[in-house]
Amino acid sequence: MDKELKLHSAPSFDRAVKKLQKNEKLDLDRAVKELADNPLLGELKKGDLSSVRVYKFPMVHQHAFLAYLYDGIEPSLTFIAIGSHENFYRDLKPRN
């Protein structure tokens, strides 16, 4: 029997979601459902972000990026960031 996929979110992701408009949240909900159905949809990044996957999806007539971590052993998705392309990857990188 397969284990059920658990969904988690980072506090910074939760803060970003609170700032979204209702129609933006609907698009985000659709993207989250798509990822819950197939967690490998997002592109696996390289280098400093090698454990992060980024899923690109339409949000109110523009492209939005959804960054998340996928654990296939204990099936879980942890959403860590949402935003547009501008500074998205820079803001995702770990700070030293």
Side-chain angles (χ1 to χ4, degrees):
M1 182 177 161
D2 290 335
K3 294 181 183 180
E4 186 176 327
L5 182 70
K6 291 184 169 69
L7 303 178
H8 306 282
S9 59
S12 57
F13 177 80
D14 293 337
R15 284 191 297 275
V17 170
K18 282 183 181 178
K19 296 176 185 175
L20 296 177
Q21 300 296 318
K22 188 174 183 178
N23 56 348
E24 293 172 321
K25 287 182 182 178
L26 291 173
D27 289 339
L28 174 60
D29 288 345
R30 273 192 287 276
V32 167
K33 183 174 180 343
E34 289 174 11
L35 289 173
D37 291 341
N38 183 359
L40 301 179
L41 280 177
E43 178 185 343
L44 187 59
K45 295 292 143 189
K46 297 178 176 134
D48 291 346
L49 301 174
S50 62
S51 61
V52 175
R53 289 184 170 275
V54 174
Y55 180 58
K56 298 173 187 171
F57 68 100
M59 185 184 337
V60 190
H61 310 299
Q62 63 182 4
H63 283 88
F65 293 2
L66 178 56
Y68 65 98
L69 304 171
Y70 172 60
D71 179 357
I73 297 168
E74 286 294 325
S76 68
L77 289 176
T78 303
F79 298 102
I80 55 177
I82 184 169
S84 61
H85 189 273
E86 185 177 347
N87 299 327
F88 185 76
Y89 292 107
R90 182 203 67 193
D91 294 344
L92 262 182
K93 288 191 178 185
R95 302 201 191 326
N96 291 337

